[in-house]
């Protein structure tokens, strides 16, 4: 028979991940009706491979199987091969990942699924080696088996596919029973549950590989007034992540997760959403626990993002790959972690060869020995081939004792050595970057910069504003969000066809509908940017996004928030946007943000929608708060309300801003309004709000800045930072 597909069409794709596979001998197709039509016409099953650019095992399977002519021949002869970038199509990923979880008890990437021509799954797995290995079936033999079963046991496969899809549909679409929220906050119970799962010896949660769990730590920090244990668990994990291999001690920023219990060896990809959530977490860690070291981690992470993932026009790119060519072979085969690991000889060479980047009175040998002692670099190594992932193995004081020097001197040595290592590493072959700019992830990143702008440095607030402005300009049409834009200045020649087929901005290629997470995360980021800058343009955008998510993804009859708008037709299940994966729960973030925005437009129904969502999904807080910590945080806000700080002024005075921004106030809502009623009227017209909301009404300040602090009652007009601090304490929990 003729092949169902005649060529690899991923050179027409915009996604950097899909373009990575444009040269495979496999006749890859993009997810869409054209591929489905070919499957129906040839009565051929679909082989669906879902991954993302920074996925290590996706690259391994590509090299072992998808680059292999023998595998390609079997795929091309008997299947319609389809590639999906999970970051562009999270709805496709969530459906078939749920199938994998239901059938296999787990999942991962690459996600490998065999489908009927009607997109129903009948076989699912993750990574397959080309040949059988360590108990895993070989992909070559699997292709033969599926081909044979499709020909001889078609009815059985179709029955299985129907059962699996029905099971996944039930998991994703069935609405949980609503609960009565009551008057009490679930925060204490949620914190108890989360703390009980902590690994008190190593930090983090669980007894195996360690993932950052920012949402859980936010619950513990917020509950720290209820008991010292919660703060202790949070501190242990913050310290473990900052000391271990999860953190990049040379360049800043965090890797995806660690493969071991003690945070030593990571999977080296760097995801924008991890940088966003962890930078914000360390800002709050500093606010709540007073540890200045957390400031350094947050600053270094934000500086890394701006330097390595920053779009020149304001947004942020998605990921950095885990792999890069060997240090001594720029044209060699890419290796996991090559950019990040060191040997003692490499340390010594870098310290000697890049001495001009950080002059020091100490000798090169002393600097090299000090940094090796600090970060545990020795000949044995802790990674592959005698290389070392840097981890904090000795305190500065311990290093100082070993050199019979004072801490200040050794600190200066380490600063010089680390600067030289950064310069040396900048000349290494670099990991690939995925140049997608995703609306939701940029919202998370903007929120982190905004919080750092309030707590640490105004420049971070300016960077948040740049990101929000970029996304609004590129991805917002006034009514709906697009999912992503890709910088065509960074694309390869093979994407020229894609550039002709997509909507275009001047330098970017826009595609995809916005998902609930995009609206929720970006609204949260825009609101935080308004709080940090006082610029009501960002508040207006947050309000617009709130209206849009309620219109596109929310069912006011049931209180359900769906992952996608109704108009998506090429996925057979409409998943609810509860989340529970590596990014924050969309329904939790949406609920929390809507509760805050209700203060500005009480007639818009934001609080009613948030309450309905919390009632619909609140039972999951009781059953597993650690899985959806953002939902527990939103329910806490719903129960206790915000500490509102309203400033009537043309500009918030610096000491007032510090009094609010540097304090740990997880229930804060900081709002500035113009000092005059005429100025407020202009704002209300811009925001399309008819009457001044209570948070702004009757709060003019014609003769100098005034502040008001409220929580279900209000302070008198305040005129100093000390008064603001006093009333914030008065309205604490």
């Amino acid at each position: 028979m003729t092949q169902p597909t005649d060529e690899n069409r991923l050179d027409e794709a915009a996604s950097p991940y899909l373009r990575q596979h444009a040269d495979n001998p496999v006749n890859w197709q993009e997810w869409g009706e054209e591929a489905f039509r070919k499957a129906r016409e040839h009565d051929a099953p679909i082989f669906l491979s879902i991954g993302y650019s920074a996925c290590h095992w996706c690259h391994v399977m590509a090299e072992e199987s998808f680059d292999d002519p023998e595998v390609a021949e079997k795929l091309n002869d008997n299947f319609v091969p389809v590639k999906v970038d999970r970051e562009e199509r999270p709805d496709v990923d969530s459906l078939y990942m749920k199938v994998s979880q239901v059938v296999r008890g787990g999942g991962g990437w690459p996600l490998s699924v065999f489908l009927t021509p009607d997109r129903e799954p009948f076989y699912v797995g993750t990574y397959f080696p080309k040949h059988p290995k360590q108990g895993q079936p070989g992909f070559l033999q699997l292709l033969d088996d599926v081909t044979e079963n499709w020909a001889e046991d078609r009815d059985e496969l179709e029955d299985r596919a129907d059962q699996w899809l029905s099971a996944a549909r039930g998991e994703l679409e069935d609405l949980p029973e609503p609960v009565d929220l009551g008057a009490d906050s679930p925060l204490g119970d949620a914190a108890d549950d989360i703390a009980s799962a902590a690994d008190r010896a190593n930090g983090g949660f669980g007894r195996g590989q360690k993932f950052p769990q920012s949402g859980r730590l936010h619950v513990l920090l917020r509950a720290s007034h209820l008991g010292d244990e919660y703060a202790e668990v949070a501190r242990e994990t913050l310290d473990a992540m900052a000391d271990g291999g999860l953190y990049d001690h040379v360049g800043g920023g965090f890797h995806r997760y660690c493969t071991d219990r003690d945070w030593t060896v990571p999977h080296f990809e760097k995801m924008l959403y991890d940088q966003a959530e962890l930078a914000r977490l360390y800002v709050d860690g500093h606010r709540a626990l007073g540890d200045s070291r957390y400031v350094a981690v947050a600053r270094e992470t934000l500086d890394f993002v701006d330097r390595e993932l920053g779009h020149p026009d304001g947004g942020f790119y998605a990921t950095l790959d885990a792999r890069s060519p060997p240090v001594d072979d720029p044209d060699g085969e890419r290796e996991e972690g090559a950019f990040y690991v060191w040997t003692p000889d490499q340390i010594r060479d870098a310290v000697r060869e890049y001495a001009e980047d950080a002059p020091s009175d100490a000798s090169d040998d002393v600097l090299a020995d000090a940094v090796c002692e600090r970060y545990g670099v020795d000949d044995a190594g802790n990674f592959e081939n005698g290389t070392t992932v840097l981890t904090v193995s000795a305190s500065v004081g311990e290093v100082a004792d070993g050199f019979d020097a004072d801490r200040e001197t050794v600190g200066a040595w380490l600063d010089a050595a680390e600067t030289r290592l950064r310069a040396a590493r900048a000349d290494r072959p670099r990991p690939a970057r995925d140049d997608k700019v995703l609306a939701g992830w940029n919202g998370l990143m903007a929120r982190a910069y905004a919080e750092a702008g309030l707590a640490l440095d105004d420049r971070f607030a300016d960077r948040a504003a740049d990101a929000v402005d970029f996304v609004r300009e590129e991805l917002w049409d006034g009514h709906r969000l697009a999912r992503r834009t890709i910088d065509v200045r960074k694309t390869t020649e093979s994407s020229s066809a894609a550039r002709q087929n997509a909507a275009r901005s001047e330098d970017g290629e826009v595609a995809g509908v916005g998902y609930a997470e995009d609206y929720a995360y970006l609204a949260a980021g825009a609101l935080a940017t308004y709080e940090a800058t006082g610029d009501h343009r960002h508040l207006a955008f947050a309000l617009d996004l709130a209206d849009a998510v309620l219109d596109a993804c929310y069912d006011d009859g049931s209180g359900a928030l769906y992952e996608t708008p109704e108009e998506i037709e090429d996925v057979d299940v409409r998943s609810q946007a509860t989340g529970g994966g590596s990014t924050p729960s969309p329904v939790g973030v949406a609920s929390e943000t809507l509760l805050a925005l209700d203060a500005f437009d009480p007639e818009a129904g934001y609080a009613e929608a948030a309450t309905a969502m919390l009632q619909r999904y609140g039972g999951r807080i009781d059953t597993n708060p650690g899985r959806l910590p953002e939902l527990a945080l939103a329910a806490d806000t719903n129960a206790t309300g915000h500490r509102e700080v309203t400033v009537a002024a043309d500009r918030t005075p610096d000491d007032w801003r510090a009094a609010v921004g540097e304090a740990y106030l997880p229930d804060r809502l900081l709002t500035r309004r113009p000092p005059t009623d005429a100025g407020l009227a202009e704002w209300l017209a811009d925001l399309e709000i008819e009457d001044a909301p209570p948070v702004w009404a009757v709060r003019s300040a014609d003769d100098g800045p005034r502040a008001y602090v409220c929580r279900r009652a209000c302070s008198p007009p305040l005129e100093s930072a000390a008064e603001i601090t006093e009333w914030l304490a008065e309205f604490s929990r």
Side-chain angles (χ1 to χ4, degrees), residues 186-198 219-220 223 226-227 229-230 625:
L187 184 65
D189 289 341
D192 279 342
D193 187 87
I194 290 169
S196 70
V219 171
L220 295 175
L226 299 174
E229 180 190 12
Y230 305 140

Side-chain angles (χ1 to χ4, degrees), residues 432-454:
R433 184 176 68 194
D434 187 321
D435 289 329
K436 290 193 303 293
V437 177
L438 294 160
W441 295 11
N442 271 250
L444 295 177
M445 200 70 245
R447 180 167 62 164
Y449 274 98
E451 290 296 336
L454 282 169

Side-chain angles (χ1 to χ4, degrees), residues 66 112 137 512 547 625 659 684 689:
F66 302 147
S112 303
D547 292 337
L684 294 174
I689 297 174

